[in-house]
């Protein structure tokens, strides 16, 4: 099995690290009618939760992998993050600040872009190589564009230094300070989970939503080799069930830290895929609240596996975010 991420192209690093391999797939079967209840709905009050299965229909394939076209108004905070030749998602959390994954802005050791900065670490990408783009009304990344003036990655993040390095990939969160503030449209900024809210969904099985421009189809992963389809140029969305840390640990023994969050149904073909890294995992509780950042998985939307998200409400992560935003961290 392998851990996978998609910020930069890179070779294998030991036996534990590999990038997603984008083999061309036959298109997944045509999707049925849209069920908008799986994407959005009335904001839920504090303490309320919704299971993804409460709203499920036989047409669960909402193309993130197995998703469907997103309504841009459901994700007004969504952005596309371009780092050199890499593609990731991101979210607007405050005027002039974007949150994404640390691995999106830090090339893995062994990559041509890596400037070593300690075990399992490389220097962060040059801000001049970063471009952040908002989606246009049709979901394509053709909207306002901004550059970056500063990049921050959580100091706890690093890549595996060997096949038994299970402490790696922790706190996979980065912040990008933009060189301009985007035009305000209303609902532009997503709330970030804090430690108190983070504790309210620890049992799992509540419903969250994720969006991205990554690969859209997965056909066969029986041999842990995933056949993937092309990226889409339209923003895609999918509902995912949150999983408890205990259940997640049965799939990834010894690899799930307190700064990680698990989501997905374990159904082949439905989850995040290459190009979705850094995107927000959002719950609707009186409004959108970001609880995770797309981080890593074994393969792409494989059966019996979940996607791992950086847990932004974990105390060590949220305190770092607050420090950077206030000018005390980084």
């Amino acid at each position: 099995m392998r851990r996978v991420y998609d910020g930069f192209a890179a070779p294998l690093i030991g036996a534990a690290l590999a990038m997603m391999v984008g083999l061309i797939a036959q298109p997944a079967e045509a999707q049925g009618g849209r069920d908008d209840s799986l994407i959005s709905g009335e904001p839920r009050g504090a303490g309320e939760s919704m299971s993804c299965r409460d709203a499920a229909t036989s047409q669960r394939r909402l193309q993130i992998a197995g998703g469907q076209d997103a309504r841009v108004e459901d994700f007004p905070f969504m952005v596309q993050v371009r780092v050199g030749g890499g593609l990731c998602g991101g979210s607007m959390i405050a005027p002039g600040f974007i949150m994404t994954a640390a691995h999106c802005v830090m090339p893995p050791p062994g990559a041509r872009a890596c400037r070593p900065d300690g075990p399992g670490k490389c220097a962060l990408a040059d801000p001049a190589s970063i471009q952040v783009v908002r989606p246009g009304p049709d979901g394509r990344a053709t909207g306002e564009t901004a550059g970056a003036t500063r990049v921050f990655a959580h100091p706890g993040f690093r890549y595996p230094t060997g096949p038994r390095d299970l402490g790696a990939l922790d706190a996979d969160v980065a912040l990008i300070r933009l060189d301009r503030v985007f035009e305000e449209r209303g609902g532009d900024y997503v709330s970030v989970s804090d430690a108190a809210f983070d504790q309210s969904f620890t049992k799992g099985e509540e419903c969250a939503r994720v969006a991205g421009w990554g690969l859209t189809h997965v056909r066969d992963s029986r041999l842990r080799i995933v056949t993937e389809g092309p990226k889409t140029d339209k923003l895609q969305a999918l509902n995912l069930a949150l999983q408890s840390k205990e259940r997640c640990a049965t799939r990834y023994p010894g690899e799930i830290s307190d700064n990680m969050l698990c989501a997905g149904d374990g159904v082949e073909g439905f989850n995040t895929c290459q190009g979705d890294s850094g995107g927000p995992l959002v719950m609707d509780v009186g409004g959108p609240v970001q609880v995770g950042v797309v981080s890593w998985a074994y393969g792409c939307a494989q059966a019996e596996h979940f996607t791992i998200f950086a847990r932004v409400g974990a105390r060590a992560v949220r305190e770092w975010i607050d420090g950077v935003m206030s000018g005390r961290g980084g």
Side-chain angles (χ1 to χ4, degrees):
M1 294 197 298
R2 55 187 182 146
R3 298 198 236 189
V4 186
Y5 4 57
D6 50 32
F8 292 82
L12 288 172
I13 302 175
L17 174 60
M19 299 295 290
M20 289 182 178
V21 180
L23 304 176
I24 301 300
Q26 295 296 320
E29 63 183 64
Q31 306 308 310
R34 180 185 180 113
D35 180 353
D36 287 329
S37 68
L38 295 181
I39 293 292
S40 65
E42 294 300 319
R44 309 188 72 77
E48 287 188 88
S49 64
M50 179 184 74
S51 167
C52 286
R53 298 188 185 282
D54 292 343
T57 71
S58 60
Q59 300 295 340
R60 282 196 54 81
R61 294 176 179 259
L62 272 176
Q63 273 95 10
I64 238 178
Q68 70 179 29
D69 287 357
R71 294 181 303 198
V72 174
E73 58 267 31
D74 289 341
F75 298 89
F77 43 81
M78 188 78 195
V79 295
Q80 187 177 90
V81 179
R82 302 168 183 172
V83 187
L87 173 67
C88 282
S91 56
M92 299 168 57
I93 62 172
F97 275 94
I98 301 300
M99 183 156 62
T100 188
H103 79 260
C104 290
V105 298
M106 181 189 295
R112 182 164 40 184
C114 174
R115 290 174 286 128
D117 191 28
K121 286 181 174 285
C122 296
L124 299 180
D126 183 346
S129 71
I130 296 175
Q131 185 180 55
V132 176
V133 187
R134 299 182 78 175
D138 62 356
R140 294 180 171 88
T142 57
E144 284 185 276
T145 300
T149 62
R150 187 83 187 271
V151 183
F152 309 85
H154 194 286
F157 175 79
R158 61 181 172 80
Y159 290 100
T161 56
R164 298 296 180 183
D165 185 8
L166 301 182
L169 306 180
D170 195 32
D172 189 5
V173 178
L175 296 178
I176 299 171
R177 188 167 65 199
L178 301 179
D179 62 5
R180 61 183 293 267
V181 175
F182 286 127
E183 178 183 350
E184 300 238 359
R185 300 176 183 170
D188 292 338
Y189 307 110
V190 63
S191 298
V192 179
S193 175
D194 58 19
F197 182 77
D198 183 81
Q199 295 302 309
S200 70
F201 58 87
T202 54
K203 294 180 181 179
E205 293 303 325
E206 283 140 317
C207 196
R209 53 192 170 101
V210 67
W213 286 274
L215 299 180
T216 62
H217 299 105
V218 178
R219 185 180 62 179
D220 182 11
S221 60
R222 293 179 183 178
L223 301 177
R224 301 294 184 258
I225 298 174
V226 181
T227 304
E228 298 162 346
K231 287 184 173 67
T232 176
D233 63 350
K234 286 189 175 182
L235 185 66
Q236 304 290 300
L238 179 68
N239 273 21
L240 297 175
L242 298 175
Q243 302 297 336
S244 67
K245 183 178 179 182
E246 293 72 23
R247 186 177 185 205
C248 189
T250 66
R251 300 291 194 274
Y252 302 99
E255 299 183 75
I256 306 304
S257 76
D258 291 338
N259 299 324
M260 297 177 186
L261 178 66
C262 230
D265 293 335
V267 177
E268 183 172 317
F270 299 90
N271 219 316
T272 58
C273 202
Q274 183 179 0
D276 293 320
S277 284
L281 181 70
V282 177
M283 294 179 68
D284 290 296
V285 184
V289 178
Q290 184 170 349
V291 298
V293 173
V294 179
S295 181
W296 62 273
Y298 284 125
C300 177
Q302 292 187 13
E304 303 304 321
H305 286 86
F306 308 121
T307 290
I308 310 304
F309 298 79
R311 192 169 194 149
V312 297
R315 191 171 301 279
V317 177
R318 181 57 197 264
E319 288 181 354
W320 174 81
I321 293 171
D322 291 344
V324 171
M325 298 290 291
S326 66
R328 294 180 287 106

